[in-house]
């Protein structure tokens, strides 16, 4: 009776579609915006807010992603065996929203900033809040992932196949749309300055907007509650598969003696308890899952676009003329290329390859996809080599760096440690020198007036520029800009470094009741010292200010990352889309949930591999790590291609048909029946499309 009532509610239609699906589509868009928006800025939050190093930030990021791909298995079991899809989505969405709010709260620096210096005083609170939030988000987003699309499909009647197909197309368009918009918007929000007492990068807003979208997603889904068809839990096929495999292993162990006759397949030991058709279906699934063993390595590389590649972009120039691209916004290249490449591959590339007489089977496509991902990391390594050339080389613990500035009006000559002579004109600075011990510099006829620290020991973060002024005048000078006040600088004194953003900055210099402006254009990640010579006349011109470049700005353009994004996305299209399509064609329709669980498990394992390599390899150069990952994937790709060569394509429907015709329960006959069905299915594929070893396309 309850099912009939739910069906009546689902009958409300708009343009032939159940009204309930519009709530589901809005819900999915908001949820995907929330997830990808938060994830886009996550690794920079670890690095710049929690002050973690690159390796720890990368490790925690990939741990979170791995959990997001493990929890869908749990969510599917809970929905199918206990709560049902509707209640599972509601309960886990609440958990999800709480996690997003916890992340937003963890990013408010003023909560523990008692001294109001812009830095949290109790970092333990922020770490604990963020880790709790991420765990809840992983539980929520993973748990509802397998439920929402299936729940949407449940809203359609059997005669609405066309509408159901359209729904899934729009559904996945919403996923890509939410991903694309969020990876554009949340980095912009992060780049803003906000705070109650001090202004810092606004991670709280970057996490707060996704949290608000998750709350909207939950509310929209609840509003449509009265219109949904809510199917009762029917049991989960994954549990049945695991129980069958477990019983088979246990039964085989019990009958391990030589007095017991052998069986054709180890799964045949489950025949005493389980249906022979189910056992045959599990055999087909295990054949596909065996091919999944090498696949995690692809995801090891693919998911680093959100961690290592984003960190790589922080040392690059994001000025595209009319647009200033944030490092975490480069991830938008992936969804844009996905929406572009999928139709191009399906409509142009694959048909063209077929016309050329090449046999581009699904397993071959996956192999090429893995090679493309490996080449993407080779490209990333080449970009990293160029970046490394522009990074400052800081001295070791046994060395010091020295730069000499002549603050007088007359040229001076200095005797250097190696007895070379250095001539410095007035208001000029020497090149950078390295010294390995304390040396006494003899200034002919005069003594050194002051010692000024050389520069910051690190490159300025987040694309900012570190600026300071040295006063060579005999009077005090006040230096300020619209954003930064350097304060009053005493004669022969210097200001502390202050951070300014890229673009044109105008500084105001005032002394003795007179003032003047000095303007300069800044790039990304540089450090400058500006020396005010003692012969400077405060007035309309400031041409005589000496500019000392302590650290060069980022000069490698962010556009150089586009080739590696193109290669990894092309690899994703050929690997991921083809992989799922192939898997579903080679296993019974009622086993799709098992294959999806196996596929998601490969993603999770791939992210755990990043942790292992990042922690164990400890390579000093980042480009070497990229090459290592590319080499590992090529090695795995060779293994996969060998496995694919020996794989025999089958038609699950024909094998199932053989079992349905059979009424003989004898195990030996059944084994022969299974072999016969397998041989017939293989022969049909060979006769229609050619031998799989010749690479013929398979019937999907």
């Amino acid at each position: 009776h309850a099912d009939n009532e739910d069906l009546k509610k689902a009958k409300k239609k708009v343009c032939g579609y159940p009204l309930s699906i519009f709530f589901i589509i809005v819900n999915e868009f908001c949820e995907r915006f929330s997830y990808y928006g938060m994830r886009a800025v996550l690794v920079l939050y670890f690095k710049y807010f929690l002050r973690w190093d690159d390796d720890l930030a990368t490790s925690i990021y990939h741990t979170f992603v791995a959990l997001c791909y493990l929890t869908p298995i749990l969510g599917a079991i809970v929905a199918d065996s206990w709560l049902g899809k509707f209640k599972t989505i509601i309960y886990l969405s609440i958990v999800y929203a709480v996690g997003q709010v916890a992340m937003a709260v963890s990013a408010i620096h003023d909560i523990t900033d008692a001294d109001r210096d812009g830095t949290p005083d109790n970092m333990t609170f922020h770490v604990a809040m963020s880790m709790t939030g991420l765990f809840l988000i992983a539980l929520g987003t993973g748990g509802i992932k397998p439920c929402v699309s299936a729940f949407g499909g449940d809203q359609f009647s059997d005669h609405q196949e066309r509408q159901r197909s359209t729904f899934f197309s729009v559904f996945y368009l919403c996923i890509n749309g939410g991903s694309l918009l969020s990876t554009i918007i949340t980095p912009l929000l992060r780049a803003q300055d906000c705070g109650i007492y001090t202004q810092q990068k606004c991670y709280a807003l970057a996490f707060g907007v996704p949290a608000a979208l998750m709350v909207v997603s939950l509310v929209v889904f609840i509003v449509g509650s009265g219109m949904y068809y809510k199917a009762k839990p029917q049991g989960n096929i994954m549990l049945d598969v695991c129980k069958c495999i477990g019983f088979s292993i246990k039964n085989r162990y019990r009958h391990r003696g030589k007095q017991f006759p052998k069986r054709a397949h180890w799964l045949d030991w489950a025949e005493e308890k389980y249906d022979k058709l189910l056992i045959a279906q599990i055999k087909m699934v295990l054949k596909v899952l065996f091919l999944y063993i090498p696949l995690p390595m692809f995801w090891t590389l693919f998911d680093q676009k959100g961690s290592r590649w984003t960190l790589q972009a922080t040392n690059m120039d994001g000025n595209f003329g009319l647009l200033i691209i944030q490092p975490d916004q480069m991830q938008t290249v992936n969804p844009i290329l996905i929406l572009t490449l999928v139709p191009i591959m399906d409509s142009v590339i694959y048909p063209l390859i077929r016309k050329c007489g090449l046999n581009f089977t699904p397993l071959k496509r996956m192999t090429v996809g893995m090679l493309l991902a490996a080449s993407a990391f080779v490209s990333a390594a080449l970009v990293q080599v160029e970046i490394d050339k522009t990074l400052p080389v800081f001295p070791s613990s046994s060395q010091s760096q020295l730069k000499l500035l002549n603050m007088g009006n007359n040229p001076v000559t200095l005797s250097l440690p190696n007895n070379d002579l250095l001539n410095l004109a007035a208001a000029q600075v020497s090149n950078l020198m390295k010294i390995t011990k304390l040396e006494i510099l003899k200034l002919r006829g005069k003594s050194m007036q002051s010692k000024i620290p050389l520069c910051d020991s690190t490159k300025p973060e987040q694309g900012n520029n570190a600026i300071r002024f040295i006063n060579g005048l005999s009077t005090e000078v006040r230096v300020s800009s619209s954003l930064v006040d350097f304060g009053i600088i005493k004669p022969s004194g210097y200001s502390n470094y202050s951070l300014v953003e890229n673009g044109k900055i105008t500084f105001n210099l005032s002394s003795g009741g007179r003032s003047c402006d000095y303007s300069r254009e800044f790039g990304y990640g540089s450090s400058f010292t500006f020396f005010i010579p003692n012969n400077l006349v405060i007035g309309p011109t400031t041409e005589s200010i000496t500019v000392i470049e302590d650290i060069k700005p980022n000069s490698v353009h962010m556009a150089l990352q586009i080739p590696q994004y193109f290669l990894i996305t092309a690899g994703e299209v050929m690997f991921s889309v083809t992989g799922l399509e192939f898997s579903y064609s080679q296993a019974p329709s009622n086993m799709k949930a098992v294959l999806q669980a196996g596929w998601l498990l490969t993603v999770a394992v791939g992210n755990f591999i990043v942790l292992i390599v990042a922690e164990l390899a400890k390579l000093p150069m980042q480009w070497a790590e990229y090459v290592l990952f590319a080499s590992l994937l090529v090695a795995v790709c060779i293994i996969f291609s060998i496995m694919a060569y020996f794989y025999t394509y089958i038609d699950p429907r024909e094998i199932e048909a053989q079992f349905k015709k059979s009424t003989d329960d004898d195990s030996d006959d059944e084994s022969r029946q299974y072999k016969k069905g397998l041989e017939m299915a293989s022969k049909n594929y060979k006769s229609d499309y050619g031998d799989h070893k010749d690479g013929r396309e398979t019937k999907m």
Side-chain angles (χ1 to χ4, degrees):
H1 177 71
D3 280 350
N4 290 335
E5 288 297 319
D6 285 339
L7 279 168
K8 288 178 183 177
K9 292 174 184 177
K11 292 297 182 183
K12 295 180 181 178
K13 296 181 180 178
V14 176
C15 301
Y17 293 87
L19 183 60
S20 55
I21 67 162
F22 295 98
F23 293 93
I24 296 172
I25 286 174
V26 173
N27 163 271
E28 181 66 12
F29 175 83
C30 293
E31 188 275 326
R32 289 291 86 186
F33 185 106
S34 176
Y35 173 72
Y36 283 109
M38 177 279 304
R39 182 172 150 177
V41 301
L42 188 59
V43 75
L44 297 187
Y45 167 76
F46 291 155
K47 180 178 174 67
Y48 296 129
F49 189 94
L50 298 183
R51 314 304 299 178
W52 291 348
D53 61 34
D54 288 2
D55 286 341
L56 181 58
T58 299
S59 297
I60 300 301
Y61 174 88
H62 286 285
T63 302
F64 167 70
V65 175
L67 286 176
C68 288
Y69 284 96
L70 282 177
T71 49
I73 302 172
L74 177 64
I77 294 173
V78 169
D80 291 341
S81 305
W82 180 30
L83 291 176
K85 298 184 186 74
F86 176 75
K87 288 183 179 179
T88 302
I89 294 170
I90 292 289
Y91 295 157
L92 290 181
S93 291
I94 294 172
V95 171
Y96 192 168
V98 171
Q100 289 282 28
V101 171
M103 282 300 298
V105 172
S106 76
I108 303 175
H109 65 274
D110 290 305
I111 291 178
T112 61
D113 186 15
D115 55 8
R116 300 183 182 180
D117 64 348
T119 304
D121 299 326
N122 183 10
M123 197 61 80
T124 304
F125 167 81
H126 296 277
V127 171
M129 281 293 290
S130 60
M131 293 303 101
T132 302
L134 288 176
F135 177 76
L136 295 177
I137 291 169
L139 191 62
T141 187
I144 68 175
K145 189 191 291 287
C147 301
V148 179
S149 60
F151 186 69
D154 288 346
Q155 306 307 307
F156 294 89
S157 305
D158 292 339
H159 66 276
Q160 292 182 300
E161 286 296 329
R162 184 182 60 82
Q163 289 91 337
R164 184 187 281 116
S165 177
T166 304
F167 161 74
F168 281 117
S169 297
V170 175
F171 185 84
Y172 291 113
L173 183 64
C174 286
I175 293 176
N176 284 291
S179 166
L180 178 60
L181 285 177
S182 62
T183 47
I184 292 173
I185 294 172
T186 50
L188 292 176
L189 299 176
R190 174 197 61 78
Q192 306 304 309
D193 291 329
C194 65
I196 302 171
Y197 306 116
T198 55
Q199 299 291 303
Q200 298 294 331
K201 293 300 179 186
C202 209
Y203 289 96
L205 184 60
F207 291 141
V209 169
L213 263 291
M214 190 58 225
V215 173
V216 170
S217 172
L218 176 59
V219 170
V220 168
F221 189 75
I222 292 174
V223 167
S225 175
M227 305 176 194
Y228 300 137
Y229 166 67
K230 303 163 190 172
K232 291 182 178 179
Q234 300 293 325
N236 189 273
I237 189 67
M238 285 187 288
L239 291 178
D240 295 336
V241 170
C242 292
K243 288 177 182 177
C244 181
I245 292 173
F247 179 80
S248 176
I249 295 171
K250 188 164 55 175
N251 197 31
R252 176 68 183 91
Y253 181 75
R254 285 175 185 166
H255 301 81
R256 61 187 181 275
K258 292 183 178 179
Q259 67 272 27
F260 299 104
K262 292 184 178 181
R263 300 189 183 181
H265 193 281
W266 62 270
L267 267 174
D268 293 335
W269 288 96
E271 288 177 351
E272 284 85 347
K273 185 176 180 181
Y274 290 93
D275 181 61
K276 297 179 178 63
L277 177 59
L278 175 65
I279 294 171
Q281 290 170 334
I282 295 174
K283 289 176 183 177
M284 290 184 266
V285 167
L286 290 180
K287 280 191 66 181
V288 177
L289 291 180
F290 178 70
L291 281 178
Y292 281 8
I293 293 174
L295 303 190
M297 201 65 215
F298 174 86
W299 301 112
T300 298
L301 276 67
F302 178 79
D303 280 328
Q304 288 190 63
K305 68 185 187 332
S307 57
R308 290 295 196 198
W309 288 10
T310 299
L311 294 171
Q312 182 186 62
T314 60
N315 290 318
M316 303 178 77
D317 181 3
N319 189 347
F320 282 77
L322 297 176
L323 292 174
I324 303 296
I325 301 297
Q326 300 295 328
D328 33 0
Q329 280 184 314
M330 279 303 291
Q331 297 174 59
T332 59
V333 175
N334 177 250
I336 290 172
L337 286 174
I338 282 280
L339 294 173
T340 306
L341 288 177
V342 169
I344 291 176
M345 289 285 191
D346 288 340
S347 305
V348 180
I349 304 297
Y350 294 153
L352 190 62
I353 291 174
R354 280 195 293 270
K355 284 186 177 180
C356 293
L358 299 175
N359 304 311
F360 206 33
T361 61
L363 293 177
K364 286 183 179 179
R365 291 184 202 173
M366 294 175 68
T367 306
V368 172
M370 296 168 84
L371 291 174
L372 286 172
S375 61
F377 265 62
V378 173
S379 176
L382 295 174
V383 171
Q384 189 63 46
V385 169
E386 294 302 311
I387 292 173
D388 290 346
K389 293 177 183 177
T390 68
L391 297 178
V393 180
F394 295 106
S396 65
S397 57
S398 62
Q399 289 182 322
S400 295
Q401 287 181 330
L402 181 67
K403 193 178 279 189
L404 301 172
L405 171 66
N406 182 4
M407 299 174 65
N409 291 327
N410 301 311
V412 294
T413 302
L414 297 99
S415 175
L416 301 179
N418 57 6
N419 295 322
D420 290 341
L421 297 179
L422 175 66
N423 297 313
L424 275 182
Q428 292 298 308
V429 67
S430 70
N431 293 325
L432 191 65
M433 295 177 284
K434 287 185 180 180
I435 54 176
T436 55
K437 61 181 180 178
L438 185 63
E439 301 283 355
I440 299 175
L441 299 178
K442 296 181 179 179
L443 182 62
R444 292 186 179 179
K446 293 188 179 180
S447 61
M448 297 288 285
Q449 288 188 344
S450 63
K451 289 197 296 182
I452 300 170
L454 180 62
C455 65
D456 285 344
S457 59
T458 57
K459 189 175 177 68
E461 296 178 336
Q462 305 188 63
N464 290 320
N465 301 278
I467 307 300
R468 69 173 174 177
F469 283 83
I470 299 176
N471 182 14
L473 297 174
S474 57
T475 59
E476 292 181 342
V477 176
R478 184 180 188 90
V479 181
S480 63
S481 70
S482 59
L483 299 175
V484 180
D485 187 357
F486 294 86
I488 297 174
I489 308 173
K490 295 181 179 180
S492 298
Y494 57 91
S495 69
N496 292 325
Y497 278 101
S498 295
L499 296 177
V500 299
E501 294 183 349
N502 66 295
K504 188 175 184 180
I505 307 291
T506 299
F507 303 98
N508 180 264
L509 286 66
S510 60
S511 177
R514 292 182 297 173
S515 66
C516 64
D517 290 337
Y518 173 71
S519 297
R520 184 173 178 87
E521 193 84 26
F522 293 97
Y524 296 86
S526 63
S527 179
F528 286 95
T529 296
F530 295 103
F531 172 58
I532 306 170
N534 60 9
N535 59 356
L536 175 71
V537 177
I538 302 290
T541 178
T542 52
E543 295 295 329
S544 56
I545 284 184
T546 301
V547 179
I548 305 168
E549 186 180 67
D550 300 325
I551 296 176
K552 293 181 178 182
N554 300 344
S555 57
V556 179
H557 202 276
M558 229 176 263
L560 289 180
Q561 278 197 321
I562 293 176
Q564 67 202 54
Y565 272 100
F566 176 82
L567 290 169
I568 201 81
T569 306
E572 179 191 7
V573 171
M574 300 189 77
F575 178 88
S576 182
V577 177
T578 305
L580 280 173
E581 180 186 328
F582 162 77
S583 302
Y584 287 173
S585 75
Q586 294 295 290
S589 58
N590 67 329
M591 293 285 172
K592 285 184 180 181
V594 181
L595 288 176
Q596 186 180 29
W599 187 264
L600 294 174
L601 189 62
T602 66
V603 181
V605 172
N607 279 273
F608 281 128
I609 292 174
V610 181
L611 312 185
I612 297 168
V613 175
E615 292 301 320
L616 294 183
K618 294 291 184 185
L619 297 173
M621 304 300 290
Q622 184 57 51
W623 66 264
E625 185 179 289
Y626 289 145
V627 172
L628 172 63
F629 278 117
S631 303
L632 289 174
L633 184 56
V634 169
V636 168
C637 183
I638 294 171
I639 296 171
F640 177 75
S641 63
I642 295 171
M643 293 168 65
Y645 180 79
F646 290 102
Y647 180 81
T648 305
Y649 291 97
I650 61 172
D651 185 349
R653 288 172 297 181
E654 291 196 28
I655 296 175
E656 288 176 326
Q658 294 294 328
F659 275 91
K660 287 173 183 176
K661 289 177 185 176
S662 175
T663 55
D664 188 354
D665 294 328
D666 182 78
S667 60
D668 292 334
D669 290 345
E670 194 55 71
S671 297
R672 287 194 295 271
Q673 189 71 26
Y674 174 76
K675 287 181 179 179
K676 183 180 178 182
L678 184 62
E679 288 170 2
M680 287 181 65
S682 299
K683 286 176 182 176
N684 287 340
Y685 269 82
K686 291 177 182 179
S687 62
D688 290 343
Y689 297 100
D691 194 333
H692 72 281
K693 293 180 181 179
D694 294 330
R696 296 295 182 184
E697 183 61 67
T698 60
K699 186 189 297 180
M700 309 304 285

